[in-house]
Amino acid sequence: MVWRTIARHLFSSHAGPRRADPAVVQALRRKLQAAGMKTLGRSLAIRHVAAGSCNGCELELRATQNLIHDLTQYGLSFTPSPRHADVLLITGVAGRNMVDAVRQTRAAMPDPVFVIAVGDCAVDGGVFKGSPMVGGGAEAILPVDLVIAGCAPTPGQIIEGLLALLEANAQLPRRRR
Amino acid sequence: MILCTEDEWQQTAGDLIALWTDATHAYALYHPGILRAVALTGGAYPALDAAGAAWFQRLAYDLNGHVATGAQDTRPAIEHYRAPDGTAAWPEFMPITGEGVHQIGVGPVHAGIIEPGYFRFSLCGEQILKLEIRLGYAHKAVLALMRSKSPRVAARFAARVSGDATVAHALAFAHATEAALALTPPRRAVYLRAIMAEIERLANHCGDIGAIAGDAGFAFLDARFAFHRENLCAAAFVAFGHRLMMDVVIPGGVAGDLHTGGAAAILAALDGLETELPALTRVFEDYTSLQDRLIGTGIIPPPLAHAYAAGGVVGRASGRADDARQSPGYAPYDTMTLQIPVANAGDVAARLRIRLAEMTASLEMVRHWLRGLPEDGIAVAPPAGEGMGLGVAESFRGPVWVWLVLRAGVISDIFIADPSTAHWPMLEHAAPGGILADFPLINRSINASYSGVDL
Ligand code: SF4
């Protein structure tokens, strides 16, 4: 029965030694509380565009949402609609066949938009640098605000990067209402 | 390799796995590793009848400009800019006529965190009448990048053809290199590779099973399977220094030994998964509302799977008892009997059950190997030799085949066939008849790789 299973997991702690490093998690949460709570007062919605990755970066992006990394606890979430998004997150080399799609996604987002390149591929082409199909990462299509390097960056690194963005955002002047 | 005349070439030699061309020849690979070649005349070769040949023939044109004479399907495969002025010259999608028929386009940017691809649905009401898939958005010219590199350098690219199957791709590449150079890796490396390959299978099956349940509205199962997937990735990080185990499998062996504490971390992740697996499996069996979404959905009838010589979970759920670990087979699986689960229903539920059955087997294997690892070193350096090699490894999706030619210590030519090549056209067949709302389930139960075929 599903209810019994749910109940068991509500009251049992996972003794498994595989937990996200609590020190890192704690530090991240504190960082967010310091950054987000103070000035932001809202959460950021992310529109992800896979622009020619090997799909390794997508696996790690998805892992940021699991029970261990729990991205939403920081007020960060992925949204399917570019209209709701504050952040355009690009993975992959942004090769020739994805240029139009990336531009159109950006155009569909309301300003202001933060653009983040996640993974070495999106940073500068990564291992695929020098391929005739690859123009040098996301920056070749759009101005990029933040890069999160790694091949693939771990969920922890991705979250840290996103939190850094939150922090920087908090120091921006407030928009007039 | 068998050199054929054009007539011999056109006669089938069983299940076609892949087809590709180099500067002088076209090659056809048949199960379980029969390689045939025919000389190109004026950049052309006779098209093959096998259903699975169509994609490879389109790909050969896009990659090398070689024409399959007599081919029915001449649409581009991955090249979006065929016109000389650099504009997209894709042929139009099939027009649809009939009262109440409309089309929906999805992609290349998808709703979730997924790779890019474009789906064009023709629908009547909710019912899917036709699906056409356009790929190539993740094209990175990886084969071109691998040429004129040494095997050890090129292994970094092989590991990134499809990141979720990085171990299997790197393994198939290593097998091909080792076959070309007549190299035998140390036994410890062979076992470490197999441990990584099975952890990769477990992690991906967890991801797929959870996502299927999640798409059917059972977020609880999705969360639990994602939790176990995370544990396996974290254990892989402790044991091999990378969560996806990229760049650990290299030609000649493995790049690094099992780290201290690695075995314990892996065993703990396996224990956690094994303890909860029966309870999670029961949820699938107990909930008719869940079964209603899975049973009879996205059927791939066995004749279709045979026509495409589909491998992996998709093939095994549609009556094909093929597993590259057993046929043609490779170490260390060749010394053991592998239980290969097979079903005939060919629906989402069957593909899910095959995955569950495979997980139990993989759990056992990893435990068994961790108990007694040989102590004979982890790698031998590949000599700068020459030769042609064929290699295979069973990824969580199915068999990955690599063919390569080495000259003066570097790769002069290479082709990589991901099992997804057979799975994409079957998705086009499996979707019609169902409703649009079932498409995510069907798609996820097949889970073909975009990057793996876009190359
Ligand atoms: S950065 Fe690495 S893991 Fe990410 S898409 Fe590129 S090759 Fe794959």
Side-chain angles (χ1 to χ4, degrees):
Chain A
M1 285 299 284
V2 72
W3 294 115
R4 220 180 295 147
T5 317
I6 291 177
R8 195 168 52 237
H9 291 296
L10 272 181
F11 299 114
S12 71
S13 67
H14 272 278
R18 304 278 110 242
R19 291 216 147 178
D21 187 344
V24 175
V25 173
Q26 276 275 326
L28 292 181
R29 193 181 292 119
R30 243 180 279 128
K31 219 170 169 184
L32 175 69
Q33 276 163 355
M37 304 287 267
K38 205 166 44 196
T39 51
L40 203 60
R42 67 184 182 114
S43 58
L44 293 186
I46 305 164
R47 172 65 251 201
H48 164 244
V49 175
S53 62
C54 78
N55 79 29
C57 279
E58 277 77 67
L59 290 178
E60 295 300 52
L61 265 187
R62 241 179 270 148
T64 61
Q65 298 174 295
N66 66 28
L67 293 177
I68 301 282
H69 297 292
D70 191 16
L71 184 68
T72 44
Q73 72 182 297
Y74 308 107
L76 295 161
S77 63
F78 288 93
T79 171
S81 169
R83 305 267 185 232
H84 300 163
D86 312 293
V87 176
L88 175 59
L89 191 160
I90 298 172
T91 56
V93 295
R96 207 169 60 189
N97 292 346
M98 277 304 289
V99 172
D100 285 347
V102 171
R103 288 220 177 96
Q104 284 175 24
T105 307
R106 170 62 188 88
M109 294 171 66
D111 288 329
V113 169
F114 294 107
V115 181
I116 309 186
V118 169
D120 289 351
C121 280
V123 172
D124 62 358
V127 293
F128 303 106
K129 230 179 298 177
S131 156
M133 296 297 293
V134 176
E139 185 78 49
I141 306 181
L142 292 172
V144 171
D145 299 307
L146 175 75
V147 300
I148 302 176
C151 182
T154 63
Q157 288 168 332
I158 296 173
I159 292 175
E160 268 177 47
L162 291 169
L163 293 181
L165 178 76
L166 276 182
E167 226 172 82
N169 176 52
Q171 289 158 13
L172 298 174
R174 267 178 171 276
R175 267 191 299 160
R176 287 252 186 88
R177 302 251 163 202
Chain B
M1 191 183 76
I2 308 157
L3 200 57
C4 303
T5 65
E6 295 206 341
D7 282 345
E8 289 163 355
W9 162 263
Q10 282 182 290
Q11 273 143 39
T12 174
D15 284 348
L16 180 77
I17 296 165
L19 182 155
W20 65 91
T21 62
D22 67 6
T24 53
H25 288 84
Y27 300 85
L29 177 65
Y30 291 90
H31 187 80
I34 305 161
L35 185 61
R36 286 193 179 187
V38 66
L40 296 172
T41 29
Y45 59 97
L48 293 184
D49 281 339
W55 171 267
F56 290 110
Q57 289 167 174
R58 292 161 61 190
L59 186 67
Y61 182 79
D62 283 1
L63 290 177
N64 301 331
H66 296 142
V67 176
T69 315
Q72 299 285 314
D73 190 349
T74 54
R75 291 174 299 163
I78 54 168
E79 184 52 79
H80 290 198
Y81 294 90
R82 267 191 183 177
D85 63 351
T87 56
W90 276 81
E92 279 305 301
F93 288 102
M94 306 247 189
I96 275 286
T97 49
E99 205 179 312
V101 179
H102 61 285
Q103 293 197 327
I104 295 181
V106 179
V109 181
H110 292 306
I113 303 175
I114 325 173
E115 295 180 81
Y118 186 87
F119 301 136
R120 178 67 68 98
F121 297 95
S122 298
L123 303 129
C124 190
E126 275 195 290
Q127 187 102 13
I128 302 173
L129 302 178
K130 183 170 176 57
L131 166 63
E132 240 187 289
I133 300 173
R134 190 179 267 189
L135 298 171
Y137 295 92
H139 180 43
K140 300 174 280 290
V142 64
L143 297 179
L145 288 169
M146 291 172 90
R147 289 194 198 105
S148 59
K149 304 239 167 41
S150 74
R152 282 271 170 101
V153 174
R156 282 182 68 76
F157 297 98
R160 285 159 182 81
V161 170
S162 184
D164 48 11
T166 175
V167 174
H169 269 275
L171 188 56
F173 175 76
H175 283 160
T177 310
E178 287 154 12
L181 298 173
L183 197 67
T184 312
R187 282 178 57 233
R188 185 178 182 84
V190 169
Y191 282 100
L192 287 175
R193 287 169 168 188
I195 288 169
M196 286 187 272
E198 295 309 323
I199 293 176
E200 180 174 88
R201 192 180 323 280
L202 284 165
N204 281 302
H205 281 358
C206 276
D208 287 342
I209 294 169
I212 293 169
D215 281 337
F218 275 61
F220 164 74
L221 286 176
D222 195 5
R224 294 312 303 170
F225 277 107
F227 170 80
H228 290 295
R229 179 176 199 288
E230 173 63 29
N231 287 347
L232 288 163
C233 290
F237 185 81
V238 175
F240 300 105
H242 193 288
R243 285 167 49 92
L244 306 175
M245 298 168 283
M246 267 178 182
D247 303 323
V248 189
V249 177
I250 53 170
V254 289
D257 208 341
L258 188 66
H259 297 188
T260 320
I266 294 170
L267 289 173
L270 298 184
D271 288 346
L273 173 59
E274 190 169 43
T275 311
E276 199 175 351
L277 202 52
L280 296 178
T281 310
R282 227 172 298 131
V283 179
F284 284 104
E285 287 156 10
D286 282 355
Y287 278 77
T288 42
S289 57
L290 183 53
Q291 291 188 344
D292 185 51
R293 295 296 307 278
L294 309 179
I295 295 175
T297 306
I299 294 176
I300 296 170
L304 184 69
H306 286 303
Y308 280 93
V313 170
V314 175
R316 292 192 278 277
S318 296
R320 291 175 58 80
D322 270 352
D323 191 313
R325 289 175 290 175
Q326 193 160 71
S327 164
Y330 50 89
Y333 305 97
D334 51 358
T335 53
M336 55 198 277
T337 355
L338 208 61
Q339 294 298 330
I340 303 174
V342 187
N344 283 309
D347 55 1
V348 175
R351 291 189 279 278
L352 196 133
R353 274 198 300 272
I354 298 279
R355 285 189 174 92
L356 284 167
E358 288 185 10
M359 283 174 73
T360 320
S362 296
L363 280 165
E364 263 324 299
M365 281 189 257
V366 175
R367 277 217 193 91
H368 174 72
W369 293 325
L370 276 176
R371 271 197 293 269
L373 280 173
E375 297 285 353
D376 61 342
I378 56 164
V380 287
E386 320 236 317
M388 183 166 83
L390 206 51
V392 66
E394 181 82 11
S395 75
F396 74 100
R397 291 195 170 89
V400 175
W401 284 87
V402 174
W403 166 88
L404 54 75
V405 181
L406 292 170
R407 288 225 173 86
V410 298
I411 294 171
S412 71
D413 219 333
I414 181 161
F415 189 75
I416 300 173
D418 189 272
S420 308
T421 316
H423 297 166
W424 282 117
M426 288 198 298
L427 177 61
E428 287 183 328
H429 287 285
I435 58 170
L436 192 59
D438 280 339
F439 181 73
L441 283 167
I442 303 170
N443 191 14
R444 194 59 203 224
S445 75
I446 295 173
N447 190 14
S449 169
Y450 299 74
S451 182
V453 296
D454 287 351
L455 295 170

